[in-house]
Amino acid sequence: RSHAGIAEALCKNAAISACAKAGLWREAIHLMEELAERRTVVSWNAAMTACAEAGEWQVALALLGHMVQGWSHLGAPTCTPNAITFNTAIAACKNGSKWIEALCLLSDMAASRLSPDVSTFTTSITACERGGVPELATALWEDLRSSDFAPTTPAFNAALMAAARASAWEQALRLLGEMEAG
């Protein structure tokens, strides 16, 4: 890669990220398309974030599919997703209340030999809570608790929301006690 090509990719990736923050998902995708063979996992993740933030979960998942399988009409090579890619796709599903898709992505993540992190668990818990399946959110909470990660305040909040949805006041009180105990 030439220095000019690398500089252009860095600038476009920054612009895609700016579009994500502004909710301009179409513009983010357009900029990513312009990158062609200079597209990196950062480019894909930023474009997916733009879609997730704009509530365009279907487009975010389509981008993930294109990322893995190649974007044939652009002649772009495939790119290997990382944990951030999956977290972004799960967040898009969470924003669309698509808990089944979120859990499928969690499974795909494991099949890709990528380990979930506390963000993955938190987002998946929230997706299940928003999707009206608090019992699955509770199961994910237990998976988080048995992992090597310490739950964060957002993770506790997600689990508390799931307990509230399930009218599980004893679980909510236990969670509050754990949170206060730190």
Side-chain angles (χ1 to χ4, degrees), residues 8-32:
E8 179 189 4
L10 289 172
C11 289
K12 289 232 170 131
N13 285 342
I16 293 167
S17 293
C19 288
K21 287 181 172 71
L24 303 172
W25 66 274
R26 286 184 180 94
E27 291 81 354
I29 292 172
H30 177 73
L31 287 168
M32 192 182 69

Side-chain angles (χ1 to χ4, degrees), residues 20 23 29 40 75 85 93 113 125 130 146 152 154 168:
I29 292 172
T40 66
T85 308
C93 293
R113 299 199 189 313
I125 290 166
R130 287 184 183 176
S146 66
T152 59

Side-chain angles (χ1 to χ4, degrees), residues 7-180:
E8 179 189 4
L10 289 172
C11 289
K12 289 232 170 131
N13 285 342
I16 293 167
S17 293
C19 288
K21 287 181 172 71
L24 303 172
W25 66 274
R26 286 184 180 94
E27 291 81 354
I29 292 172
H30 177 73
L31 287 168
M32 192 182 69
E33 288 173 341
E34 289 178 357
L35 281 172
E37 72 277 351
R38 290 184 307 279
R39 200 174 299 125
T40 66
V41 69
V42 173
S43 313
W44 288 99
N45 291 348
M48 287 175 59
T49 297
C51 295
E53 295 297 319
E56 296 292 334
W57 67 271
Q58 303 98 323
V59 180
L61 294 186
L63 286 174
L64 176 59
H66 290 307
M67 178 183 187
V68 174
Q69 297 168 358
W71 209 333
S72 60
H73 76 281
L74 295 175
T78 60
C79 190
T80 304
N82 60 21
I84 295 168
T85 308
F86 279 97
N87 286 348
T88 302
I90 292 168
C93 293
K94 173 198 76 168
N95 293 345
S97 298
K98 299 297 179 185
W99 64 272
I100 293 172
E101 290 81 354
L103 294 183
C104 286
L105 287 165
L106 187 60
S107 176
D108 290 348
M109 186 177 190
S112 297
R113 299 199 189 313
L114 294 170
S115 299
D117 59 18
V118 70
S119 176
T120 312
F121 282 111
T122 302
T123 306
S124 299
I125 290 166
T126 302
C128 289
E129 183 273 321
R130 287 184 183 176
V133 286
E135 62 280 355
L136 291 177
T138 300
L140 288 168
W141 171 257
E142 294 305 325
D143 288 346
L144 171 59
R145 295 297 284 153
S146 66
S147 75
D148 293 334
F149 301 108
T152 59
T153 299
F156 273 108
N157 288 340
L160 282 165
M161 292 298 294
R165 181 179 284 274
S167 299
W169 63 270
E170 291 170 326
Q171 180 184 1
L173 290 176
R174 182 178 55 79
L175 287 166
L176 281 173
E178 286 179 35
M179 195 162 100
E180 289 172 354

